[in-house]
Amino acid sequence: MARVRRRTAEYLRNRALLLASHPPCWLCGGEGADTADHIVPWSQGGSHALSNLRPAHLACNNRRKDKPAHLTNFRPDSSGAW
């Protein structure tokens, strides 16, 4: 059974920390990331920990859905890490 998506206090706190410096989207590289994307998708057991979140545009995050990042046609962020 899939996990219920909830915006917990941990997720909201970590998303705010992540977006505070106005970082680019880790999926497309464009400026103006407005949400946090889970590296290991929440539906696949990923956590809301800061180490599992990356800045993303809502549209990019929705397009990726719950696929592993390496199976999408997005490019990695400037660090080269997915």
Side-chain angles (χ1 to χ4, degrees):
M1 180 172 210
R3 294 168 71 181
V4 176
R5 183 178 301 207
R6 291 200 178 110
R7 289 189 167 191
T8 65
E10 178 188 22
Y11 171 77
L12 294 173
R13 180 182 62 248
N14 287 339
R15 183 181 76 170
L17 287 170
L18 188 67
L19 298 176
S21 64
H22 306 287
C25 174
W26 84 294
L27 295 167
C28 74
E31 296 298 319
D34 54 3
T35 193
D37 185 27
H38 292 81
I39 297 170
V40 176
W42 174 253
S43 65
Q44 296 176 11
S47 72
H48 291 316
L50 192 55
S51 62
N52 191 44
L53 298 175
R54 294 293 180 268
H57 295 118
L58 183 58
C60 293
N61 194 357
N62 288 339
R63 191 169 133 217
R64 178 179 165 219
K65 299 182 181 178
D66 65 349
K67 292 180 280 191
H70 69 280
L71 296 180
T72 67
N73 60 354
F74 289 107
R75 67 164 189 76
D77 65 11
S78 60
S79 71
W82 282 107

